[in-house]
Amino acid sequence: MSDRQAALLLVMPVQQRLTTGDRLLAEWSGRRRSGRAEFVGTVLRDVTRGAEALGELDFARLCREHSLPTPTRQVVRKGPHGRIYLDVGWEAHAVGAEIDGGQHAWGLKRIDDALRDGELLISDYPVLRIPVLGLRTHGDQFMSLLGRLLARREPTSA
């Protein structure tokens, strides 16, 4: 089994609400013998922090590799028509990111996403939308964009 397959098996029960990341991490913490201990521990910490898909796990790894600040996961913002959920956000910078799987191209989802992004932009909370395929094929470029966006919106010290 590959690391990617193992990560999928770890994230699926949380995504399907069969268990929680905290429960998986607690169960894992009692186990010490594994050739993948570091990998599994990293994936479970990301899942515990809110990663619900492989693309979000890839994003977390790339943030670490590019020395970007650790984001808050599953951020909720208020919009004029109710709550807006984001995959990740950096509240101190007022910036978010969405890791878009293939379902974001289905039907009217692209229109919904565009309207939501417009509301966030108007409220001065820009969101970088990253297609999961782009994350895997052009990850360095997307992380560079995100790093520059975060730098432009550096929090002010109070």
Side-chain angles (χ1 to χ4, degrees):
M1 176 183 300
S2 71
D3 282 350
R4 192 137 190 92
Q5 290 168 323
L8 180 61
L9 291 176
L10 292 169
V11 77
M12 283 176 56
V14 176
Q15 183 183 47
Q16 295 171 12
R17 307 294 187 255
L18 299 174
T19 189
T20 66
D22 288 329
R23 286 184 188 155
L24 288 176
L25 188 59
E27 182 65 29
W28 176 252
S29 66
R31 313 221 184 266
R32 292 291 176 215
R33 294 182 182 173
S34 171
R36 295 185 183 168
E38 184 177 341
F39 171 77
V40 171
T42 298
V43 169
L44 287 176
R45 283 187 296 278
D46 288 338
V47 169
T48 299
R49 293 180 188 131
E52 294 186 348
L54 287 180
E56 293 177 36
L57 292 174
D58 292 339
F59 181 79
R61 177 185 47 79
L62 285 168
C63 282
R64 287 189 295 273
E65 289 175 5
H66 289 266
S67 300
L68 295 177
T70 302
T72 301
R73 300 204 182 273
Q74 309 306 322
V75 172
V76 180
R77 303 286 300 167
K78 186 174 190 246
H81 304 293
R83 295 179 183 158
I84 297 175
Y85 295 91
L86 299 172
D87 291 329
V88 297
W90 293 265
E91 294 303 308
H93 299 263
V95 169
E98 277 287 289
I99 316 307
D100 289 346
Q103 74 277 12
H104 284 268
W106 298 344
L108 299 176
K109 185 64 177 146
R110 291 181 78 177
I111 295 167
D112 294 340
D113 287 344
L115 288 168
R116 187 177 73 158
D117 292 350
E119 293 294 348
L120 290 165
L121 186 62
I122 289 168
S123 71
D124 199 30
Y125 195 97
V127 172
L128 181 62
R129 207 163 262 290
I130 305 171
V132 72
L133 180 60
L135 187 68
R136 293 183 181 134
T137 60
H138 295 79
D140 290 343
Q141 290 172 279
F142 279 107
M143 292 297 109
S144 175
L145 286 171
L146 186 53
R148 294 190 328 242
L149 178 59
L150 287 166
R152 288 189 67 189
R153 299 180 63 89
E154 194 67 40
T156 57
S157 54

